[in-house]
Amino acid sequence: QVQLVESGGGLVQPGGSLRLSCAASGSIFSINAMAWYRQAPGKERELVASITSGGSTRYAESVKGRFTISRDNAKNTVYLQMNSLKPEDTAAYRCNAAVTNTARSTMSYWGQGTQVTVSS
């Protein structure tokens, strides 16, 4: 089994910053791409940012220049640094990882989600 556990969400004022973390644990052989998604009430889930095992990154247009995704492969952890937050960034954020387990089976795993609320 593989588990993803997120942390770092909360309430922040517009213009503020938050850093989300997502740590993977369990029967891990290797982790391929990792990503952050978000879903606001009444809206579809959207990909916020992704990072490959080699460190290549992609971002949604709405967060380019404000958010930075990174990973620590030694800790099986992905981060999302969010700066200049806006009310429209308010959503439930979930991490996703493509994990090859010790049985050499690759599956997609999700964290439980962490709420980010941007409000004055």
Side-chain angles (χ1 to χ4, degrees), residues 25-115:
S25 63
S27 303
I28 298 170
F29 176 74
S30 65
I31 301 178
N32 308 310
M34 304 183 83
W36 287 96
Y37 288 78
R38 68 184 180 186
Q39 187 168 19
K43 295 187 176 181
E44 293 187 354
R45 183 176 63 197
E46 67 168 333
L47 174 64
V48 177
S50 64
I51 184 167
T52 67
S53 57
S56 296
T57 59
R58 294 176 62 185
Y59 296 93
E61 284 296 326
S62 59
V63 306
K64 279 184 179 179
R66 301 188 297 122
F67 290 11
T68 302
I69 189 170
S70 62
R71 63 191 285 172
D72 184 333
N73 291 329
K75 296 181 178 179
N76 291 333
T77 299
V78 63
Y79 306 95
L80 186 68
Q81 178 67 45
M82 305 185 292
N83 299 328
S84 302
L85 282 161
K86 305 175 180 180
E88 51 264 43
D89 295 317
T90 295
Y93 285 71
R94 296 180 72 187
C95 68
N96 174 268
V99 179
T100 299
N101 61 27
T102 52
R104 302 302 192 267
S105 175
T106 300
M107 296 178 62
S108 178
Y109 294 89
W110 291 90
Q112 81 285 359
T114 186
Q115 180 66 33

